[in-house]
Every structure is written in structure tokens, then in C-alpha cells.
Amino acid sequence: MNISSDSEYLKNLGQLVIDQLIAYRSRSMTGADKVLELKPFHELDNKLGLDKFVQQQPISVQEFQQFLDLYLHNSMHIHHPRNIGHQLAPSRFPTVLADMIVSAMNNGSGLYEMGPSASVVERWVINWMLNKIGWSSDIGYQASGVLCSGGTMANITALSAARNLASPSTWKYGCNEQQVILTSAESHFSISRAAGILGIGCDNVITIASDDTGKLLVDDLSKAITKLQDSDKKIVAVVANACTTSSGVYDDLVAIAEVCNKNKIWMHVDGAHGASAILSEKYSHLLSGIELADSVTWDAHKMLQTTSVCAGALFKRSKNIDAAFTGSAPYLSLDEDCDYPNQMRRTIECTKPAIGLKLYLTLALLGEGEVASIIENLYQKALGFYDIINTRDEFECLCKPESNIICFRIAGKCRDEQKAIRNRLIQKDGFYITETEVNGDHYFRLTVMNEATSSSDISTLLDLIIGYGDLGGNNDLID
Amino acid sequence: MNISSDSEYLKNLGQLVIDQLIAYRSRSMTGADKVLELKPFHELDNKLGLDKFVQQQPISVQEFQQFLDLYLHNSMHIHHPRNIGHQLAPSRFPTVLADMIVSAMNNGSGLYEMGPSASVVERWVINWMLNKIGWSSDIGYQASGVLCSGGTMANITALSAARNLASPSTWKYGCNEQQVILTSAESHFSISRAAGILGIGCDNVITIASDDTGKLLVDDLSKAITKLQDSDKKIVAVVANACTTSSGVYDDLVAIAEVCNKNKIWMHVDGAHGASAILSEKYSHLLSGIELADSVTWDAHKMLQTTSVCAGALFKRSKNIDAAFTGSAPYLSLDEDCDYPNQMRRTIECTKPAIGLKLYLTLALLGEGEVASIIENLYQKALGFYDIINTRDEFECLCKPESNIICFRIAGKCRDEQKAIRNRLIQKDGFYITETEVNGDHYFRLTVMNEATSSSDISTLLDLIIGYGDLGGNNDLID
């Protein structure tokens, strides 16, 4: 059988995938099964039996069904109401449609001619983001940006530009002076990783103290800058969090911008998770001052409801993004004026898929208002869940949540006990939650990404934790 | 209307997308229309009218159809037989199915628990690639790798590891010594860009001369290394091309490996395009010596027939990949033995989509033999097209192709004239070809990615070029 030409076979496989995916999604949303059937790697490896299907190709429709069943069952069920773990959006219809179109077309978005429609859509999406931040060209800025495969790449893009502008010889001749980045300890690991990659060195990320909740202490930032100004170290950037990945709290962007502005230091806002709150009238105040930054990272695949990955690296001044990967090359600033904008100059990626369509179709089909109301609803839900947790004496919350991230712990329990409880919740009870450390203390961490997660899910979760908590230091919990 | 709950609306949209995509693909494959309807950016921007759909949501099914028609029509028609441009595979059924599954699941592949099935599939795909290179664990290596969002990222991953191993203090403390990378001028721009990003400096990529076709001259490499050994510059790596992006020729990997081995220098093979020829009995000799490298970049979204992006960063020794983003951290080498391998430690990306499924389903549904025969067929086709071009007196070929890339030019025509002709071929005649420079000379460049491209397409292309060529220095060609 030649599978390329056997249209009956293809039709059957296509229909099977669509039916299975729809059934899988519906079943997940009802809360059936566990969020995660976490078998040991080698056990799942044996079960999936991947070699077999490759050796016996073309795989029959029945065999394919068998593979797909196993694959889906042993995945993270992201649509499940008891999935309160990572910051990934449960895939919605518009972004899945976009992914299908992107896949079938396989156009690039790096060069205009490799994907004209894709390039126009990317430009629209970037302009929409810039506009939300307050960087529309009509207020005197010529802002710009690029879509990247994730927030880490957007952070690297911004910090590469900041490094090249702070030390203009770096791009051509390498790092010749000691460069530093300043940020709080609660920053995402991609900041210190970016410093390692960029040749700055991850030990040269200077940690500014934060308050108990994870907010950068602006006075300490000022003092650190003053101290550095007497040294031979070059400050590349200050990175502010909006919000922190660990605890979901927002740094004071206005105050940080004031310090950066006074000292003429690049301000980067890592808004991968929290920049989306700017869409909500109720929560946009959390982003006050974001327009004062020089660059912003904003992921669409977290709160803007697209599938992963789709992240904006956004720059207040167009000429600065052109410094990210080319040092200072004046001729590149023409880009904004030319008719065929080639984003390849501004991105690490060469073959760059047409990811902008995910966000465009989400906004076009769901509507901006609906996206804003999803964000508001999830932030609001987190406050409600916090109230439930906070009224129980057995638990301590890190703080009243500012976003859809809630950190809490069992009073008096150690890290290992909490880790063991988390394992049980996943393996036995079918919940999925994460854990984190803030200021050295260990917490359970919930990220409310799903409108289907209910107060009763949270109450059940707490009851289970208390049940395990009663077991105290029982070692068989630690598996 | 609430689009999330109006299942009739969703069904209609879904059906519309599937029908349109199938019709679009069939039409493209017949060779109807132009490969690329290249309107100026602002004209297409106005035509797509993206604002309108966002303001009037929810968009009606008719409006959506109107948008999709425009979007598809104004894209690069990658399945068109006269698309002989970039190195992207025309999307095939198995990889499109994979993309649908990945999108609906939205699982990650960075942490095992974020996508157990996805992680097992990624491991399978990596092992399959390692095996093809000759790095299976049973011959004494403990090889490893990670899938990245593209070959550029894989090159950065490999060169970051090489840099951190050559100068172990770099990761923590930044670049403190002058580091260099050696490669031919025909290397992909991502090598010099990687040097810029990594703080090595793109001027510290030392260009080794290549022969007329773009193959690195190994004697010159030896001389350059000897010269550098007397300097205070640290050699991070030698990058060999398999094949070059510009002309599609393979460096002599055995000879380069001998030089690297003698001088104890990291050898990286950029096999983004050409490593796939290892599947073909007829062409695998081109990759002789690849197993002697320390790291290899191998894209699946070029010759292995997946949609973009899916690239392997492959390491002969597992412990070395752990140096890529963490300097030398001995505790990380446990990773290979542990049951839950967390690829996040080895990749720039944090949220990393489950891209391995693209290649797995391609191999499972098409079969490895069929993929090998597609590669062989495309390489063979290029030789046939070369014969057609080479027998015509008006053209000069750079060389007999070693891959599916052919470079040729009109005898006696200048760069601007050839550029103008290319524009006409795209805009007026519906072909899509690229252009390149090799050793300072300008060439038309064909990449045969589509089995549907025929000798008669090539003859027509040549006739058209000759027709334009007759116009000589006529300036109105240069538009």
C-alpha cells in the first residue's frame, strides 16, 4: 500500500484523530480520570512500544487507534478541572484551528516572501501587543517586536539587545568587560540562563532582595546600582517581574522605571505570564509603568489562551530590537519603513513558523472582550480559592494572590513531606499541582488556568492534603 | 452567541478549515496559480483587513471563509511543483496529523510530567537519530540529544556546550578569554550569529577558505589551527557543513575529524539539511565521518519530511550536552540513568512543545524506507535537472550537485540582472526560486523539495530565464 495515494486510508486516519481528540477533550473536561497517569519512564516506554509501529508500517487504522489511545491516556490532561499546575492554557478551538492551518501551509514568518500572509498577521499581532502596552506609534514612539518560540527566547532577545547596546563591541568582538544584570531572586530561571548563554555569566546576575511575597525591594535596587557605579562593572539591564513565576506577584514597575530612568539603565519587564492582565480594566493597574520599560516579554500561550508557543519580544524603540542580533547596524533601522519587513534579522530562529495566527484567530473568534473576561475570571477565581484556603487553620498562604497563582503550605510541614504529599495527589488522587520556593520556603503552588476548576475541587484538594498531613512524618509517603 | 458553547458554529468552522486546506493542497499540487502571489506588504495588509474581523467578532462562517481564502491565496504555496526555493518540506499527511494532536493536547516536552507520552516519543526520536549517526550505546558511547525549535537553536546548543567545555568558567563568570570558532565562509549565518549571541563575537568566527564549490579546504584548516596555537586565542570548535546551505556540497568529514582529533578540538557538524542523506544507501557515503564528530545538528523539517520546526541537537557523549546550559555540573550527568529525563536542562526553551511526534508519525506512517526513498529521489532529481541546465550553453552550473541543491547562473550576467530576473520569475511566471552567493559569485539556487517538480518545469524555467536574459542590461527589469 502506498499511503500517499491511498485516500481511503488517509480519510480513516484523519477521521479517527479528529474523533479521538474531540472525545479526549470532552472526557478531560468532565474531570474523569486523573490529570496525569504518571508511570515511570521505562514502563511507559515499553507500553507505547514505538519501535513496533515503525517496523510494521504502514500501520493499520486499528494499530494507530491503539497507539493514539495510549498516547492520549498517558499525556497531561490539560483540560481537566483538577489540572491546577503549570501556566499552559487548555487549548481552545480558535488556536487549534490556527495550528491546523499553520501545519498544512508550512509557511515561514522570518522572511516576508516565505509567508506573506503569515508576516502580515505577525505584524498585526505585534502591533496589537505594542498598542496594549501603550507603545502605539502615535504617541511618539516607533515601537517594534518579534514573535518567538517562547518567553525564554523573548527574554534572551531583549537581554541580547540590552547587552549589545550597553557594550557595543560585544557583538563583533565578544564580551570584553564585566557585565551584570540586576533582578530579584524570584525571577524565572531563564534570566540567569540567558546570562550564561550570552557570555555575561550567570553569577553576574546580581540578586536584589525581595519582600516576603517575592516583590523586588526597590530601595535595595537603588543601593545596588549606586555600589556598582563605583565599580568597573557594566550594568546591562534591570529585569522586573510582571508577575513572578513562583508566587505570581507584580513588581512595582513605576518605581523600578524611575530608578532605571534616573540611572539610564535598560529596563526589561518579564511579563511572560502577567502582561495579559493589561486587557482587564479591573487588573490593568498591576501593569502601571510597563510603558516606561525598554523591552517587554509577553507570552500568548499562557493567559492569552493560545497553544504553546507564541511569545512577543517587544521593544519601545524599533532601532533597539535591531541591536539584538546584529550589534548596532544603522542600516537595519530601515526595516520599519520598508515594505517587506524581514523578522529574521530580529530573531534567533531562522525557520520560524507562522505562530502569530494562533493569537490572531483567538482574538478574531473569541473576541478581545472574551479573552479579557477569561483572564479576569481566572484571577478572580484565584482570590476565591485563596479565601477557602486561608480560612482553614491548617494552611498558611504566602500572600493574597495578585494573579491566578496561589502559594500555600501546611503549617509546620517540611519540604520533603510536602513533596511526598504532592506526589500522592498526582499519582493517587488525580490532581495536578506544582510546588515552588519563595525566599527559601517551600510551597504548594496552584495556577488556575481552567474556568472549569471549582471551589469544590479546591475543598477536595485541601481535605486530601489534610488527610496526608495527619500521617505526619510517615516515611512511606516519601516515594 | 457564546462561541465556546455553540457547537454548530464550531463544527461549521472546523469543517470549513479542513475542506479549504484539502482543496488548497490539491490545487497547489496541480501547479495551478503562482507559487507566490507577492503583493507589497501594505497592499496585502489592507486586503486581509485583520482589524475588521477582530472588531466584529464572533466572525461569521462566511467572513471566516473570506479571511481564509485570502490568507491561503497570499501564502507561499509550498506544495506547488514550481516551488524550488527554500529547504522546507511540503507538509505531508503524517506530520499534519501529529501537529493536530500536539495542538489539541498542548503538552510540554521539557519536563517528563508535563508530557509523559511526548517525552517518551522525543527520547525515541533522539535515539533513532543517534543510531543513524552510529552513536548507539552498544558501541561504547552514551550519546544523547534534545529536540529544538530549529537548526539555529541546535547549533547554539552545540556551540554553547563547546564553549563551556573549552572555557569552563564562562558559564558562571562570563567570557574572560578570547574564543574563536573555525568554519568555512559557506557556513549558515546561524554560526556567526551564535558566536555573537554567545559572547564569543561574530568577528571571532575565523573563516577557512573553501574550494570553488564551497567545500572547506582542510589544509587551510590545519594551518589556521597551527597559527592559533601560538596565540592566546582559545579554539571553541570547528564547524563542518553537511551540506552547505548555499551550494549543497558536503565537507570532507573524515579529514576534518582527523584534524580535530589530532588537535583535540570540538568538531560540530551542521547537518541541518544534509544529515538526512544518511538514510539512503546510495548517498550515505556523503556523511562518512559524521560519527567522529562531537555534536551534530540535524533538522527533521527539511529532508525528513516534517513540518517546521523539529531539529535535533545531538551529542556523542551525554555528559557534554549537560554542559550546554549549565557549565560543567557533574550531578546533571545522572540524567541519563534516571527514570524521568528532564530535557529542560538541555534546551534553551522552557515551554517546549511536543515536536517529536511529527517525526515519529512520519516514520510510523510513511515508513523509514519511504522517507529514504523520497530523499534519494530528490537528490537524484537534482542531478537530472543539473544535466538539463548544464547542456545549455547559456548557463554555468557551480558544480555537479551533491544534494538536492543546484546553483547556476547566466554566463556573463551581473548580480543585479539576475536578481531582477528572479523577481520576474516569481511575480510574473509563478516560479519560486532563491539566490545565493558562493565565493563572491552570484547564483540562482534551486532546492528540489517536491517529488512533483518535473524536468519540464525546469526546461520552462530555463526558457524563461533565457528570454529575460536576452533583454540584457534593460533597466526596467531591475524593479
Side-chain angles (χ1 to χ4, degrees), chain B residues 254-266:
Chain B
V254 171
I256 293 172
E258 203 175 305
V259 173
C260 288
N261 187 42
K262 201 179 89 186
N263 294 284
K264 298 200 191 320
I265 297 170
W266 185 281

Side-chain angles (χ1 to χ4, degrees), chain B residues 213-399:
Chain B
T213 69
K215 271 179 208 287
L216 182 141
L217 292 170
V218 183
D219 281 350
D220 285 35
L221 176 65
S222 287
K223 282 179 210 154
I225 291 172
T226 307
K227 214 171 130 192
L228 282 162
Q229 278 162 342
D230 292 333
S231 77
D232 55 357
K233 290 176 181 164
K234 175 84 87 178
I235 302 175
V236 164
V238 168
V239 179
N241 288 304
C243 50
T244 57
T245 305
S246 49
S247 56
V249 299
Y250 286 79
D251 282 343
D252 182 342
L253 302 183
V254 171
I256 293 172
E258 203 175 305
V259 173
C260 288
N261 187 42
K262 201 179 89 186
N263 294 284
K264 298 200 191 320
I265 297 170
W266 185 281
M267 176 177 170
H268 175 65
V269 174
D270 183 354
H273 183 92
S276 298
I278 212 162
L279 296 195
S280 148
E281 260 185 57
K282 199 161 175 178
Y283 294 109
S284 63
H285 67 90
L286 294 163
L287 279 314
S288 289
I290 194 170
E291 72 284 1
L292 304 169
D294 296 287
S295 56
V296 169
T297 289
W298 183 357
D299 289 1
H301 61 269
K302 293 189 165 81
M303 301 305 289
L304 291 179
Q305 306 301 312
T306 78
T307 50
S308 48
V309 281
C310 179
L314 307 166
F315 286 70
K316 183 155 66 186
R317 293 174 197 84
S318 179
K319 67 176 160 50
N320 289 340
I321 190 174
D322 294 323
F325 301 118
T326 48
S328 49
Y331 64 92
L332 287 181
S333 62
L334 291 169
D335 210 358
E336 278 305 290
D337 305 320
C338 92
D339 226 8
Y340 291 14
N342 289 327
Q343 292 287 64
M344 205 177 279
R345 290 169 168 179
R346 298 162 159 197
T347 170
I348 304 179
E349 297 161 85
C350 174
T351 301
K352 190 165 106 65
I355 52 178
L357 194 63
K358 293 171 196 270
L359 181 54
Y360 177 71
L361 284 191
T362 299
L363 292 170
L365 294 178
L366 282 185
E368 194 181 306
E370 175 66 14
V371 174
S373 101
I374 292 167
I375 297 163
E376 241 177 58
N377 188 16
L378 296 174
Y379 273 45
Q380 205 61 42
K381 257 182 188 291
L383 283 173
F385 296 166
Y386 160 79
D387 284 340
I388 295 172
I389 301 166
N390 206 36
T391 51
R392 297 222 188 172
D393 289 343
E394 302 91 334
F395 298 105
E396 294 169 352
C397 286
L398 171 67
C399 60

